[in-house]
Amino acid sequence: MPEPVYQADVVIVGAGVAGLAAAHRLTSAGVSTAVLEAAHCVGGRMSTEKVDGFRLDRIGQLLSTSYPELGLTPGLDTLVLRPFAPGVLVHSEGRHHRASPPPAGGGAGGARGALNAVRALASAPLTSSTPRAGLGAAGARAALSRATGSRTAVSRPAAPLGSAVDQARLAAALARIAATPVERLLARPESPARHALTDRGLPARTVDGFLRPLLAALLCDPELTTSSRCADLALHAFARGRLCLPEGGAEVLPELLARALPPDTVHTGVRVTSVSTTSVTTADHGELRCRSVLLATDAHAAAELLPGLRVPGFHPVTVVHHTTDEPPSTGASLLLDADRDGPVSHTAVVSLVDPSRAPAGRALISSTVLGTPSDDVDGAVRAHLARLHGTSTTRWETLAVHHTARAVPAMRPPHDLRRTVRLLAGLYVCGDHRDTSTVQGALHSGTRAAKAVLADLGAGPLHAAEPLPRAA
């Protein structure tokens, strides 16, 4: 007896977070859906390696508690986000400086507070034996501290945030960007982020000492060639929320999405070799008929199935994981390097952020190198980490070095943040390469693609999903 012919309304190729998010939207609308994944696990680049009780992310992109799709995507209601300590630590000239965004929800009020601090500092005398009316120098500095969340002594102009007035201007800029609607950010003139930063009137010390290392970490782009609109979105998320990690590792997010789908929706170990608007052909399971096909693979795999599809450039990322008995004194903070005198862009004691990532009594330090690493990347990283964390690393144990050449799609201008997901009726594509190169962008592109599919299907489901044929 021949094997049954598999049919579904929609076949999704790829079980990364974009494809899984789309599957949730489709199945919730009553559309029978099959998700085919060539690998033997879901998640794509959001993967986590287990080594002796440690959970080690391969890329470790930073998330933000302000990402809307984390709260809107079905299946993620049980996702636990572990936030870093508020703001970030910046290492500059042998010292650590804490920088924080404006208070959550500060919006225009946060900007007004910071601007009031600027005016007061500009008019307050440096020394005076007679108290002034109003804020005065001390009051202005206190208002500045509240506006910026900075714990750096404002009397040190050599700090990476600049002088007291510079810090207040930065706080006002972050408060304004937090209060600006996303659609207005997307309508701004576009240029490379590194040019936009210098064109906006912020002091060079603030740009080089804080904004450049922060954006490099958020965008995985050390040279800040990214579109200024994408950089604005990253700063918007930073100013409105907390940087965080998913509890248990990056793989938890796609695994939650997959488990929450109807049984037998996701099929791993199924390699697709060709697609059309009404079918997909697989290497070992024959042809699968459907009404629509959604490509949710990475950009290279999508272009192999659909020659001519745009493929962006990529930012390579290397993550080096170390362990030791005693964690560095930097706590649960994300530590940025403002001096750029070593390979590490940012580093953190992630076991203090998410204790589930390391066995009891061990510290896990994960450090990110952006760009192409040197041959002796571990040795160079160790030497740099000793300076950044202010401690010896000679006895640290290397757990893994994960290099991903095509880690994050580049978003150079001009960049279409809402690149079409509908190629033609019955054929669609989604992924972070169609939106922003973030988890937020991947999830959002999946939602956009599902809406396009549902709009074209119109009349509703035609088939009930049938069993996937066994491999020949």
Side-chain angles (χ1 to χ4, degrees):
M1 178 179 293
E3 294 284 344
V5 176
Y6 180 82
Q7 289 182 324
D9 292 323
V10 180
V11 172
I12 298 177
V13 183
V17 294
L20 294 170
H24 271 281
R25 303 289 185 181
L26 294 170
T27 56
S28 296
V31 174
S32 63
T33 303
V35 181
L36 309 183
E37 169 58 51
H40 292 283
C41 59
V42 300
R45 284 168 284 150
M46 291 195 72
S47 62
T48 303
E49 182 184 15
K50 289 87 167 176
V51 177
D52 298 331
F54 294 93
R55 303 178 69 86
L56 314 175
D57 285 351
R58 291 189 173 275
I59 297 178
Q61 276 185 286
L62 300 168
L63 307 185
S64 172
T65 57
S66 65
Y67 281 172
E69 292 294 331
L70 292 178
L72 297 173
T73 303
L76 294 182
D77 51 301
T78 60
L79 176 68
V80 177
L81 298 175
R82 293 291 186 180
F84 289 88
V88 294
L89 277 183
V90 181
H91 180 270
S92 177
E93 299 177 358
R95 298 178 62 88
H96 291 151
H97 310 265
R98 181 165 298 282
S100 297
R112 283 193 296 271
L115 286 172
N116 287 339
V118 171
R119 297 187 184 103
L121 283 166
S123 60
L126 292 177
T127 59
S128 175
S129 58
T130 305
R132 285 182 53 132
L135 275 176
R141 290 186 175 92
L144 169 67
S145 179
R146 290 192 296 271
T148 63
S150 174
R151 297 182 185 175
T152 304
V154 296
S155 61
R156 292 193 184 105
L161 300 183
S163 68
V165 173
D166 295 338
Q167 292 180 50
R169 286 172 176 160
L170 172 63
L174 288 174
R176 282 195 300 271
I177 204 166
T180 303
V182 168
E183 293 309 315
R184 285 183 59 190
L185 294 177
L186 299 184
R188 285 181 168 183
E190 186 180 26
S191 63
R194 65 174 182 265
H195 296 160
L197 288 177
T198 58
D199 291 343
R200 291 180 180 176
L202 289 171
R205 180 76 183 182
T206 305
V207 170
D208 292 332
F210 174 62
L211 289 175
R212 279 182 181 271
L214 174 66
L215 284 172
L218 298 178
L219 302 170
C220 294
D221 177 9
E223 302 304 324
L224 295 189
T225 59
T226 296
S227 161
S228 56
R229 294 173 181 171
C230 300
D232 284 343
L233 290 180
L235 291 176
H236 179 82
F238 173 76
R240 293 180 66 89
R242 291 272 293 277
L243 297 177
C244 59
L245 300 172
E247 183 180 74
E251 71 175 13
V252 168
L253 198 153
E255 287 179 348
L256 286 174
L257 290 173
R259 284 200 297 267
L261 287 168
D264 298 322
T265 298
V266 180
H267 306 273
T268 58
V270 180
R271 185 169 64 88
V272 172
T273 57
S274 66
V275 300
S276 72
T277 57
T278 57
S279 68
V280 301
T281 302
T282 69
D284 300 308
H285 296 79
E287 183 182 56
L288 313 179
R289 293 191 290 113
C290 56
R291 297 172 68 193
S292 297
V293 174
L294 170 57
L295 288 181
T297 64
D298 64 60
H300 272 275
E304 288 177 359
L305 292 170
L306 290 177
L309 199 65
R310 172 188 174 272
V311 178
F314 286 83
H315 297 301
V317 171
T318 304
V319 181
V320 184
H321 300 280
H322 293 104
T323 183
T324 184
D325 294 332
E326 293 294 330
S329 61
T330 46
S333 297
L334 182 70
L335 176 58
L336 309 177
D337 173 38
D339 295 333
R340 303 181 74 179
D341 62 349
V344 176
S345 163
H346 51 283
T347 179
V349 187
V350 296
S351 55
L352 294 180
V353 181
D354 175 11
S356 72
R357 296 184 181 225
R362 301 294 293 176
L364 172 62
I365 302 98
S366 298
S367 309
T368 299
V369 176
L370 302 178
T372 303
S374 63
D375 292 337
D376 181 25
V377 62
D378 185 39
V381 164
R382 279 175 181 271
H384 196 190
L385 290 178
R387 299 194 298 275
L388 292 176
H389 288 286
T391 188
S392 173
T393 60
T394 56
R395 299 182 66 181
W396 288 13
E397 176 188 351
T398 303
L399 294 170
V401 178
H402 293 143
H403 176 68
T404 306
R406 296 199 294 259
V408 179
M411 300 181 288
R412 298 183 180 95
H415 181 74
D416 185 357
L417 286 88
R418 299 293 181 265
R419 190 173 298 278
T420 182
V421 293
R422 182 185 186 272
L423 303 180
L424 65 159
L427 192 58
Y428 312 83
V429 62
C430 67
D432 57 1
H433 53 98
R434 313 299 291 185
D435 209 282
T436 60
S437 303
T438 62
V439 172
Q440 163 68 19
L443 293 170
H444 188 244
S445 75
T447 297
R448 291 196 294 125
K451 289 180 178 179
V453 172
L454 291 172
D456 283 345
L457 288 179
L462 179 65
H463 304 296
E466 298 178 15
L468 186 71
R470 291 188 296 271

